[in-house]
Amino acid sequence: LTKLNVVQTKYTVSDATTPEPKAQSYNNFYEFGEDKSDPAKNAWKMHDRPWTVKIEGLVKQPQTLDIDKLLSYRPLEQRVYRFRCVEAWSMVIPWDGYPLSELIKFVNPLPSAKYVQFLTAKDSKTMVLPFGIQFPYSEALRMDEAMHPLTLLTFGSYGETLANQQGAPIRVIVPWKYGFKGAKSIVTIRFLDKQPHTTWNDMNSEEYGFYSNVNPNRSHPRWSQARERLLNSNSILPKIRTTDMFNGYSEVASLYNGMDLMKNY
Amino acid sequence: MPTKAVPWIKVVVHVLLLIPVALLFRDYQSGALANQADPVNYITHLTGDWALWILLMSLAVTPVRRIHSSLAWLIRLRRMIGLYAFFYATLHLATYVFLFSGYDTATAIDGLRHGKLGEPFHQFALAWPAIWVDITKRKFIQVGFAAWVILLALTITSPQRVLRWMGGKNWQRLHRLVYLAGIAAVIHYWWLVKTGVTRPLPDTLVLALLLGIRVVFAIMKRVRSGRSVPVTSASV
């Protein structure tokens, strides 16, 4: 992992930060195996250089961007965000990147673009690709969600480039949504006028909605989302914390004015 | 296998089946467990895995024993293996209650340290609504709990004295519920993993094999005993 030049920002939560080894050994990255310890074991095979990101769909000028160009396009901010997994555990992680909106403005989508879709790399030579899941992994945001200043185009964590198992070399972090909404190891960013298919929503729409905003009132069918295990200390006893609406990022509430969030989960 | 060796083999089996929990305790002592990213999740999966694997071992005793008459002594290990399945299933259930359900174990222990003996119960009262929702609403919890209740019943009735008191027929009828416990445990596993995740598949195949062999044996027995009743309509 290479050290990154990062600038501090106001986006910092007060909770203690999760120890770096925990954040890098406990990952849902199904391309590298089903168990949360699998990605840390298997992801070393992936090469994060050379790497390009295709910008396509409803944009003035479809193009392919080199990762190092993307990385140096804007100063990298360090933002300490709460990270809430749909599985009812959470971490506090310093992510390094710049707002996704900066890239979107740069690539200039057409006014008809309403959604942004992210596709993850798929390579059977370096990945495990368990057969129960359709790859490439697809996630998407509504355009206003993608443009929100909290949505971070992420290149690093803890002041270093992302570990492969965290989604190197480029991923998205959307702190008010469950973690799986933040696509990892992105190779394609596509602008669309309709809501695209997204991997977990396709697999089980009852459990994983398109929005997947952190919502303590809407239970996952198999467990409550009202509380979470905060994994930011070295103790075997769980640190139980009540889950906040939008993971505590209440400034995004206006994006969903007039929407029934129990139905649009 | 000479009968005299069986008690020694039992000691070896005790030691082997205690290794998982011994390693867990070692990791707790050394701090390795606390350094796990999510110790609660780790303990839950470890105890659940071993409960199911040992249950499968106990179901394997009869088919393996039938391979050859020299393996008949294996039956003497079955009760003990079954009890270990219950032991790990109970650890698994306790992990759910005290570490997973939202029960605030840290505060309960703090209370005890300060001489407040009611604190663990107070914490239980606080956690109970969430546990109750789990019990009443979550299918994977219900089916897992059902498997544990079966194993509890088999454990209570496992001593020789109880067998004699119940009568062999009744006892055997009750203890056939172990098949149901195995099926419930595997369903519990499938219902808890995400759609598309196939991790429970190996355990499921082993269970299917162990139960399938029994069906085949039952059919063969019927054919050999020369009854003219068609097999398809017979209960197995």
Side-chain angles (χ1 to χ4, degrees), chain A residues 26 87 204 222 227 229, chain B residues 38 130 138 191-192 194-195:
Chain A
Y26 199 62
E87 297 164 350
N204 194 336
R222 288 179 287 145
R227 282 166 285 107
R229 276 197 316 289
Chain B
D38 190 348
R138 322 248 184 254
W191 279 351
L192 84 93
K194 289 178 191 169
T195 317

Side-chain angles (χ1 to χ4, degrees), chain A residues 19-34:
Chain A
E20 190 174 354
K22 289 205 178 202
Q24 292 177 349
S25 61
Y26 199 62
N27 313 92
N28 279 316
F29 197 169
Y30 281 78
E31 283 83 344
F32 293 105
E34 293 176 343

Side-chain angles (χ1 to χ4, degrees), chain B residues 91-225:
Chain B
L91 287 181
H92 185 60
L93 177 64
T95 309
Y96 161 75
V97 173
F98 294 109
L99 298 178
F100 217 105
S101 70
Y103 183 88
D104 192 343
T105 306
T107 305
I109 292 173
D110 260 6
L112 287 179
R113 281 205 186 115
H114 289 87
K116 293 196 180 120
L117 300 181
E119 194 55 37
F121 300 98
H122 175 61
Q123 286 304 325
F124 194 78
L126 290 178
W128 176 249
I131 296 176
W132 181 246
V133 169
D134 276 353
I135 295 171
T136 52
K137 279 206 181 144
R138 322 248 184 254
K139 285 191 302 177
F140 88 99
I141 299 239
Q142 291 164 352
V143 72
F145 189 66
W148 180 81
V149 169
I150 292 174
L151 293 182
L152 173 69
L154 304 193
T155 298
I156 292 171
T157 57
S158 74
Q160 287 288 330
R161 271 176 296 135
V162 181
L163 186 153
R164 259 175 260 131
W165 177 77
M166 284 179 75
K169 260 253 141 55
N170 282 331
W171 189 89
Q172 195 178 34
R173 220 172 274 155
L174 177 71
H175 279 249
R176 284 205 173 121
L177 285 177
V178 71
Y179 307 140
L180 202 60
I183 293 167
V186 162
I187 292 175
H188 168 69
Y189 200 176
W190 278 110
W191 279 351
L192 84 93
V193 298
K194 289 178 191 169
T195 317
V197 171
T198 53
R199 224 176 323 160
L201 191 59
D203 294 2
T204 309
L205 292 176
V206 171
L207 179 73
L209 178 73
L210 293 175
L211 297 186
I213 288 171
R214 286 173 162 82
V215 175
V216 172
F217 268 130
I219 292 171
M220 274 166 40
K221 204 172 156 191
R222 218 163 262 272
V223 170
R224 229 181 273 150
S225 67

Side-chain angles (χ1 to χ4, degrees), chain A residues 40-91:
Chain A
K41 284 178 214 148
N42 299 329
W44 60 272
K45 277 189 186 167
M46 183 170 72
H47 299 291
D48 66 348
R49 293 291 187 286
W51 192 280
T52 56
V53 179
K54 238 194 226 165
I55 310 290
E56 58 182 48
L58 302 171
V59 279
K60 292 240 166 66
Q61 178 77 61
Q63 55 185 312
T64 300
L65 297 167
D66 183 75
I67 185 65
D68 290 310
K69 221 167 152 187
L70 276 166
L71 183 71
S72 54
Y73 174 60
R74 280 286 179 269
L76 300 180
E77 303 171 19
Q78 181 152 87
R79 297 185 175 191
V80 183
Y81 280 159
R82 277 186 288 273
F83 181 89
R84 173 63 157 81
C85 180
V86 71
E87 297 164 350
W89 53 266
S90 64
M91 294 185 177

